[in-house]
Amino acid sequence: MLEFKLRRVVVSYFIQEANTLALPDIVICPFNRFNRSFLEQWNVSAGLAQYLELSYPSPVIHTFQTRMYEETVNNLDAHEYELEMLLDRIGNMSYTSFLKAASLGCEAFFKDDSRCKNLTEIMTSAGKCFRLMGFDQTGDGFGYGERIVINLPQHLYNPGANQMLNDGIVVKLAERGKGIDNDLTFIPSGVHAIMPLSATQYEFMNDPPRYECEEDSDGTYSRVWCFEPLE
């Protein structure tokens, strides 16, 4: 409490109208890595399918997943040989190309498949994610927000021993042309999720000078990193 009193922070704000709002990019990640129908088409065994799942970083494994995980790890040499034969059978395909071809594409998830023309595919630990470009909103936003309908074709999912278990998607907001932070929102299936966006910009004033700060200059969003020098 004494330290708080000695280092008071004064916050003031001003309201300023804007004609447009630059909406951020939207990143959508279904929790699935492989297309089951693709694996079945090339006669991929259940053991090799789990070996492929190990290509991705894994969260903490639950107790009931341990047996399948250990069976896969104990047969790495056999699965590696089987994978080499598979890639050769497909047409001497590289493993990177195989991962992209074996994952579900955009059309499997978006009800409006025209969105697939203006998005970027990203490979993450959860599998393939989709980044939709933001746009400039000119309306008031009430009832005119971005509306996206997602399908979850779970009959095409391939459950993994090291995959996060859930029934939904992860949604992240990202500044245009910039990287993706660690924050995320999980949305379960079968719901209408509303994600409000507040058009607020914070400007940091280091008064009295106490911190070493770096600030991003952006017309809509801003961030600031401050470090207190060691005494």
Side-chain angles (χ1 to χ4, degrees):
M1 182 63 69
L2 178 60
E3 183 178 358
F4 174 78
K5 292 181 178 180
L6 295 176
R7 301 169 181 266
R8 295 181 179 179
V9 177
V10 178
V11 178
S12 60
Y13 66 92
F14 305 90
I15 299 177
Q16 181 178 357
E17 294 184 357
N19 295 326
T20 61
L21 173 64
L23 298 182
D25 294 351
I26 303 175
V27 182
I28 299 176
C29 297
F31 281 96
N32 181 66
R33 297 163 176 164
F34 292 98
N35 181 353
R36 178 185 295 179
S37 63
F38 182 90
L39 301 182
E40 293 176 349
Q41 175 187 351
W42 292 100
N43 297 319
V44 175
S45 66
L48 178 57
Q50 292 305 316
Y51 177 71
L52 298 175
E53 294 282 350
L54 300 185
S55 302
Y56 294 89
S58 60
V60 177
I61 298 176
H62 295 280
T63 303
F64 64 89
Q65 295 175 297
T66 303
R67 182 179 61 83
M68 182 181 297
Y69 177 81
E70 291 179 347
E71 288 179 356
T72 305
V73 173
N74 291 335
N75 294 278
L76 293 180
D77 292 338
H79 294 321
E80 179 64 25
Y81 176 77
E82 188 178 356
L83 175 60
E84 292 178 0
M85 295 297 100
L86 171 63
L87 296 178
D88 183 67
R89 189 168 71 250
I90 294 178
N92 199 24
M93 178 182 289
S94 68
Y95 189 57
T96 300
S97 299
F98 173 81
L99 289 179
K100 294 180 179 180
S103 59
L104 286 169
C106 165
E107 294 79 4
F109 297 101
F110 290 87
K111 192 168 185 178
D112 180 9
D113 56 9
S114 64
R115 290 186 175 276
C116 299
K117 300 177 182 178
N118 298 312
L119 58 73
T120 303
E121 295 182 348
I122 308 170
M123 301 301 291
T124 70
S125 61
K128 183 180 290 185
C129 298
F130 309 97
R131 181 167 183 163
L132 288 76
M133 296 178 58
F135 63 94
D136 292 336
Q137 178 177 296
T138 56
D140 54 18
F142 294 100
Y144 302 98
E146 180 77 346
R147 182 175 182 269
I148 302 174
V149 180
I150 303 293
N151 294 321
L152 296 181
Q154 296 183 357
H155 62 287
L156 299 177
Y157 279 20
N158 180 68
N162 67 334
Q163 175 66 298
M164 185 179 297
L165 302 176
N166 63 78
D167 184 16
I169 61 175
V170 158
V171 176
K172 300 170 67 67
L173 302 180
E175 297 182 52
R176 298 185 192 177
K178 296 187 178 181
I180 304 174
D181 290 336
N182 296 322
D183 61 310
L184 55 85
T185 300
F186 176 75
I187 301 177
S189 62
V191 301
H192 290 182
I194 300 177
M195 301 184 65
L197 183 64
S198 177
T200 304
Q201 177 172 329
Y202 297 93
E203 295 183 355
F204 181 81
M205 182 174 61
N206 190 15
D207 184 22
R210 182 182 297 124
Y211 306 97
E212 296 180 1
C213 299
E214 298 180 1
E215 185 174 4
D216 281 350
S217 58
D218 188 276
T220 305
Y221 303 95
S222 65
R223 298 177 185 166
V224 62
W225 293 270
C226 294
F227 307 91
E228 185 172 5
L230 296 176
E231 297 178 355

